[in-house]
Amino acid sequence: MISLAIVTDPVSIFFIVLVIILMAPVILNKLHIPHIIGMIAAGVVVGPYGFDVLDSDSSFTIFGQVGLLYLMFLAGLEIDMFRLKLNFNRGLVFGLLTFFVPLILGAVTSLWILHLDIITSVLLGSMYASHTLIAYPITARLGISKSPVVLIAVVGTIIAVTGSLLTLGIVVDIHNAGEFEIVHLLWLLFKMAIYCVAILYIYPRLTRRFFKEYSDNVTQFVYVLAMVFMSAIIAKAIGLEAVLGAFFAGLVLNRYVPAGSSLMSRIEFVGNALFIPYFLIGVGMMINIHVVTNTETIIVTAEILAIALAGKWLAAWIAQRIYKMNGNARRLLFGLTTAHTAVALAVVTIGYNMTGPSGEHLMDETILNGTIMVILITCAIAPFVTAGAASRIKIEMLSNAGADEHERKIKVENVLIPIANPVTAPSLVELALLMSNGEDDDATRRKARIFALNVRNDNSAKSKAMSRNSLEIAVSAGAAVDSVVTPIERYDLNITTGLVNVIEERDISRVIIGMHRRATMIDSFFGSTIDRLVKSTNKMIVISRFFIPVNTITRIVVVVPDKAQFETGFRGWLSAIGNLTRQLGCRVIFCCKSNLHPIIEATLRDERLVIRSEYRTLEEDDDFVLLSNRILDDDLLVYINSRPTSVSYSANMTEVPTFLQKYFSNNNIMVIYPEQFGDQSSTASFVDPMSNDLSQAASPVLTKIRGWWRRSLYYPMYKFINKRSRHNNKIDL
C-alpha cells in the first residue's frame, strides 16, 4: 500500500483514533456490519502494514492491553452470579469441550498435515484451544448478556484460556528442561489457589469498607479500576495471564457494582468509548495483510483456519447435543468462542522465539504469518456469527413470553420520589431505579418513569432555591445512569395534599420516600406527613432508611404478614424486592407463615426473577422482634405493612413503629405499604365490604392494654422463651 507520513504528534494520534471510534459504528451500521469489524479494519488501514499513518507505539501497547483487561473485567462484572452458579456445571463441561477438542484436533492435524514435531504440535494445539470474547459487547448491546448460553460461553472461555496457558507453560518447561516436571505444574496450581482464596477473602471486605467511607462515584470508579489492575498484576506475577486476573476481579466486585447504578454506567461508558476500541484498533494494527502474497502462507493459513473453526464448531455442536439446545444456541457458542487474538498471538510468538537443537525455530515464519491471518479472519467471522445468533435468541425470548403476557409485563410504572433534602436525593433516586429497572436481557422487563417532587408551602426566594437545587440533584443522579428523572416543583398549603394531587395527576403506582427523622419526643415514628399520606392514598408506598450505601447490603430480610397474598399489590412489592435483590446480587430471606412460601416462590418464578431466595417460618405477625439480635449492620430489614382497611391488617401492626424504633433503631429499614383497593377515607359498606376489615377490629381498652404489654421490656423475653419451648419454630437467619 501507499505509505503516508507517520503521525507522531500525540494530539493528532488521539484525534485520529477518536475519529475512527466515531465513524466506524456510524458507517458500518448502515451496512449492517458489526462495528467491531470496522475497528479492526481501521487498525489495518492506518497501521504499519496499511497506509502507515500510525505507528504501533507505546500508546497503543498500553491502551490496547488496558482495553483487553477492561473487556474481560466487564465480562465478569456483567455476569449474574446466581445464574452463573446455576449454569456453572454446563459451562464447565463446555469449557472442557472447547479446550480439549481443538487441542487434540490441532495437535493431531499438525502432526499429519503440517508435519510438525510433537512439542510444536501441542503448542499449536493450545493456540487452537484459546479464544477471546471479542464479540461479547454484541450480546451486551442486544440485552442477552445474562442468558444461559452466554454464561456458558463465558465460563467456557475461562476454562479454555486457563488450560491453554497451563499447556503453554508445560510445553515451555519441557523445551527448557528437556523433560516434563510435575513439580513446576503443581507449584503453579498451588500459587493459583492461594491467589484465588486471597482475592475472595480480601477484596469483598476491603471494597465494602471503602464504599461505606467514600460514596463519591469518581472515587469509587478509580478504586474499582485500581483493584482490577492490581488483580491482573498479581495474576501475571504468579505465572497466569493478566486477563484471568481482570476477569476474576470482575466476578468478585460484581456484587458491589449493581447493573443499574451510576458506578456501573461510568465503568461501561469509559470502557466502550475508549479502552475497548483502542484494543480493537491495536489488534488491526498487528495484522500484516502482505503475507497473502505468499502461496505457501495462503495454504498454511487455510489449513490453520479450517482446524481452528472446525475445533470450536465441533465443541459447540457436542455441547448442543448434550444439553439439547437449539441451533441458535450452538451458533452463539461458536461465535463467542471463534475469535483468536492475544493468547493465540502470545503462543505463536513464544513458539517462534523458541529454537530447537539445530537452532531452527519451533514455529517458522510461515506459521507465524498464517496465525496472524487467522486472527484477522476469525475476528471478522466471530461478530457476524454472534450478531446473527444473538438477534434470533432475542426474538425467541420475546416470542416465548407471549404477546398478551409481554404487553402486561412491560407496562410503564410511574414512580414518585418526594424530595425535601438535597443530601438524600441521589440515594432515593438510586433506590427507585434499583427497585424499578428490570434486566436488559429480560424479555418481560418492567419499565419505569421516575418523577422527583418537591412540595413547598413557602414562596420565599430561599425556599424556591432549595427546592430547585434538590430537584436538580435528583435529575443529575438519574442522568448518571442514563435514566430520565422528571422534576416537579409544586406549591401547596399542605404537603400531603400536594403529594396526593401529583399521585392522581401523574397516575403514580409507587411512592418512595425517605424515613422521617423524629424532631420531638411526641413525634410519631414515621412522621405526620407519611401517616397522612398512607391514609390518603391506596398506592404502594416505600419508606426507607439506610445508614450504609445500598450497594453494600449483604442480605435482605423480608417480614410478610398473614394474608398478604390476597392484597392487590402483592405482586408489585414482591417484584420490587426481587429487582432490588437481583441488582444487588445478595440473597433475600422471606419470614412468613409456611403457606406463603410456595406462593412467593411461584410469583417470583412467574416474574422471571432468578434470585437467591430463602424462607423462614413465622407463626405470628409480631414474631419479627426475635430477629433484632440476628439482623446485622449490613442487612436490610423490610417489613410489609398494611393499612387498617386491608385484608392483611391485624391489630398487632399498630405497634410496628414502636418495635422498629426500640429494637431496630440502628438497622437499615424499609417499610412497604402495598397497593390496595378501596377508598382509604371511607368506611365499610355493602357496596365495598373489603374497604374495611371488621374482623380485625378490637375494643379500645384491649388495644391499649395490648399496646402497653408489647411496649414493655419483658415482651421480647416472653416471646423468646415461648418460642424456645416450641422446637420447630426458632428463627435462624
Side-chain angles (χ1 to χ4, degrees):
M1 287 189 180
I2 301 175
S3 178
L4 302 178
I6 298 179
V7 178
T8 58
D9 179 53
V11 178
S12 301
I13 294 175
F14 198 71
F15 170 73
I16 294 173
V17 172
L18 290 180
V19 170
I20 294 173
I21 296 174
L22 174 65
M23 298 305 298
V26 174
I27 297 175
L28 294 178
N29 282 341
K30 296 181 180 180
L31 302 176
H32 302 287
I33 299 175
H35 74 277
I36 292 177
I37 299 177
M39 300 289 183
I40 299 174
V44 175
V45 173
V46 301
Y49 302 108
F51 288 102
D52 202 14
V53 177
L54 299 177
D55 190 16
S56 184
D57 57 8
S58 58
S59 64
F60 284 95
T61 303
I62 295 174
F63 279 94
Q65 183 66 19
V66 170
L68 177 58
L69 297 180
Y70 216 103
L71 179 64
M72 296 303 297
F73 167 61
L74 279 180
L77 199 63
E78 293 176 351
I79 288 177
D80 188 322
M81 295 302 295
F82 184 66
R83 290 187 176 181
L84 177 64
K85 292 179 181 178
L86 296 178
N87 295 278
F88 182 78
N89 291 335
R90 292 194 292 175
L92 179 62
V93 172
F94 175 69
L96 296 175
L97 287 173
T98 198
F99 169 68
F100 281 109
V101 171
L103 176 67
I104 297 173
L105 181 63
V108 172
T109 54
S110 297
L111 282 170
W112 290 353
I113 299 177
L114 299 178
H115 306 292
L116 303 176
D117 57 39
I118 296 179
I119 297 296
T120 308
S121 299
V122 174
L123 185 62
L124 192 58
S126 67
M127 186 276 292
Y128 293 130
S130 67
H131 60 265
T132 303
L133 289 174
I134 198 171
Y136 179 81
I138 295 176
T139 64
R141 188 171 292 106
L142 290 176
I144 64 168
S145 60
K146 296 179 181 178
S147 66
V149 181
V150 177
L151 293 177
I152 291 172
V154 171
V155 176
T157 298
I158 300 305
I159 301 298
V161 172
T162 304
S164 298
L165 295 175
L166 290 176
T167 304
L168 176 61
I170 293 172
V171 171
V172 173
D173 187 47
I174 293 175
H175 178 267
N176 294 334
E179 60 181 357
F180 173 63
E181 296 183 4
I182 189 65
V183 177
H184 292 172
L185 178 60
L186 294 177
W187 174 240
L188 178 61
L189 294 176
F190 175 76
K191 291 189 294 184
M192 185 169 62
I194 296 297
Y195 162 78
C196 293
V197 172
I199 295 295
L200 284 173
Y201 181 81
I202 297 175
Y203 268 38
R205 289 162 176 79
L206 188 62
T207 301
R208 187 180 294 114
R209 184 181 183 86
F210 187 89
F211 281 8
K212 287 180 181 179
E213 295 291 333
Y214 305 96
S215 58
D216 178 66
N217 285 323
V218 176
T219 305
Q220 291 183 353
F221 173 77
V222 175
Y223 166 82
V224 168
L225 289 191
M227 293 296 101
V228 170
F229 288 103
M230 184 172 70
S231 176
I233 291 172
I234 297 174
K236 194 170 184 179
I238 65 174
L240 298 175
E241 188 66 24
V243 293
L244 295 179
F247 178 79
F248 192 57
L251 292 179
V252 176
L253 296 175
N254 180 295
R255 164 71 182 77
Y256 304 97
V257 188
S261 66
S262 58
L263 178 58
M264 184 65 176
S265 179
R266 284 175 168 83
I267 292 173
E268 288 183 333
F269 172 78
V270 172
N272 294 326
L274 186 61
F275 289 134
I276 296 177
Y278 240 110
F279 161 68
L280 296 174
I281 295 173
V283 170
M285 295 178 69
M286 293 187 303
I287 298 173
N288 185 2
I289 60 175
H290 297 292
V291 298
V292 298
T293 57
N294 190 323
T295 305
E296 184 180 0
T297 302
I298 295 176
I299 296 175
V300 172
T301 300
E303 294 173 347
I304 296 177
L305 179 63
I307 297 169
L309 295 178
K312 293 298 181 180
W313 185 90
L314 189 59
W317 180 79
I318 296 174
Q320 176 203 0
R321 294 297 180 182
I322 293 175
Y323 296 112
K324 297 180 174 58
M325 296 185 289
N326 57 23
N328 292 328
R330 183 194 68 240
R331 283 187 286 270
L332 184 59
L333 289 176
F334 172 65
L336 288 172
T337 59
T338 296
H340 296 73
T341 54
V343 179
L345 190 61
V347 169
V348 296
T349 302
I350 291 174
Y352 179 77
N353 294 329
M354 293 169 57
T355 57
S358 58
E360 77 281 1
H361 297 284
L362 289 185
M363 293 184 182
D364 58 17
E365 188 174 349
T366 302
I367 296 178
L368 177 63
N369 292 332
T371 303
I372 293 176
M373 289 304 302
V374 167
I375 290 175
L376 171 63
I377 298 173
T378 56
C379 286
I381 293 176
F384 272 112
V385 178
T386 302
S391 301
R392 295 186 185 96
I393 289 178
K394 183 67 175 181
I395 294 174
E396 289 178 358
M397 293 170 60
L398 294 173
S399 61
N400 290 340
D404 296 336
E405 184 181 4
H406 180 62
E407 182 179 357
R408 174 176 65 86
K409 290 193 175 183
I410 63 171
K411 66 178 182 179
V412 177
E413 293 181 336
N414 296 328
V415 180
L416 180 65
I417 309 173
I419 295 175
N421 189 348
V423 177
T424 60
S427 58
L428 287 175
V429 171
E430 183 179 14
L431 179 62
L433 293 172
L434 293 178
M435 296 183 69
S436 303
N437 289 346
E439 299 179 67
D440 291 337
D441 63 342
D442 189 355
T444 59
R445 70 185 177 103
R446 294 175 181 266
K447 299 179 180 179
R449 285 197 295 253
I450 309 295
F451 297 90
L453 170 66
N454 183 274
V455 180
R456 68 178 191 276
N457 53 11
D458 180 9
N459 260 338
S460 63
K462 180 180 179 180
S463 179
K464 290 181 179 179
M466 183 175 293
S467 172
R468 290 166 185 170
N469 183 39
S470 301
L471 294 176
E472 288 175 359
I473 292 176
V475 171
S476 299
V481 292
D482 296 331
S483 296
V484 178
V485 176
T486 304
I488 303 176
E489 186 179 2
R490 189 181 185 93
Y491 171 82
D492 211 304
L493 295 178
N494 185 285
I495 295 178
T496 304
T497 303
L499 289 172
V500 173
N501 289 336
V502 172
I503 290 173
E504 296 298 328
E505 292 170 0
R506 303 284 181 162
D507 192 22
I508 300 298
S509 57
R510 182 185 309 162
V511 180
I512 299 180
I513 189 170
M515 187 169 291
H516 166 75
R517 302 296 178 120
R518 298 183 66 175
T520 63
M521 292 297 295
I522 61 174
D523 199 0
S524 65
F525 180 69
F526 292 129
S528 57
T529 301
I530 294 179
D531 290 339
R532 289 195 297 266
L533 180 63
V534 171
K535 296 176 182 178
S536 302
T537 180
N538 52 22
K539 299 298 183 180
M540 177 178 170
I541 299 177
V542 179
I543 309 167
S544 64
R545 182 189 70 191
F546 286 89
F547 293 109
I548 62 175
V550 65
N551 60 337
T552 59
I553 295 294
T554 56
R555 295 186 306 178
I556 299 178
V557 182
V558 185
V559 180
V560 187
D562 189 23
K563 301 179 183 178
Q565 70 271 28
F566 300 118
E567 298 289 355
T568 307
F570 175 73
R571 182 181 291 268
W573 69 256
L574 192 56
S575 175
I577 293 298
N579 280 329
L580 179 62
T581 303
R582 180 187 52 78
Q583 291 273 8
L584 297 180
C586 61
R587 62 188 175 108
V588 59
I589 303 174
F590 293 98
C591 301
C592 54
K593 289 192 173 181
S594 56
N595 64 315
L596 270 172
H597 297 178
I599 298 175
I600 293 176
E601 187 175 359
T603 306
L604 291 175
R605 190 183 308 112
D606 185 56
E607 289 288 320
R608 289 175 172 79
L609 289 167
V610 184
I611 57 177
R612 292 185 293 168
S613 57
E614 301 175 9
Y615 301 90
R616 303 291 186 271
T617 301
L618 290 181
E619 286 193 354
E620 300 179 23
D621 291 340
D622 56 355
D623 284 351
F624 77 95
V625 297
L626 301 177
L627 301 173
S628 58
N629 62 341
R630 299 182 183 276
I631 301 295
L632 306 178
D633 293 339
D634 295 334
D635 295 340
L636 171 63
L637 174 65
V638 180
Y639 186 87
I640 309 301
N641 214 332
S642 297
R643 298 173 175 86
T645 57
S646 64
V647 178
S648 60
Y649 179 78
S650 66
N652 297 333
M653 293 182 177
T654 59
E655 304 302 324
V656 168
T658 304
F659 290 156
L660 294 177
Q661 176 65 25
K662 181 177 293 187
Y663 304 112
F664 302 94
S665 59
N666 297 322
N667 297 108
N668 307 296
I669 296 175
M670 182 183 294
V671 180
I672 298 179
Y673 286 89
E675 180 183 357
Q676 292 154 342
F677 283 140
D679 186 0
Q680 302 303 311
S681 61
S682 64
T683 58
S685 65
F686 292 105
V687 178
D688 189 7
M690 297 291 288
S691 64
N692 199 352
D693 193 353
L694 299 179
S695 64
Q696 301 292 344
S699 66
V701 176
L702 291 177
T703 301
K704 290 183 179 180
I705 295 175
R706 185 183 294 110
W708 174 83
W709 166 240
R710 295 178 186 277
R711 285 192 297 270
S712 67
L713 296 176
Y714 302 101
Y715 179 68
M717 184 182 302
Y718 160 76
K719 292 293 294 182
F720 181 73
I721 296 174
N722 190 33
K723 279 295 180 183
R724 289 296 299 268
S725 64
R726 292 175 290 183
H727 300 288
N728 296 328
N729 295 322
K730 181 180 178 181
I731 307 173
D732 186 8
L733 298 181

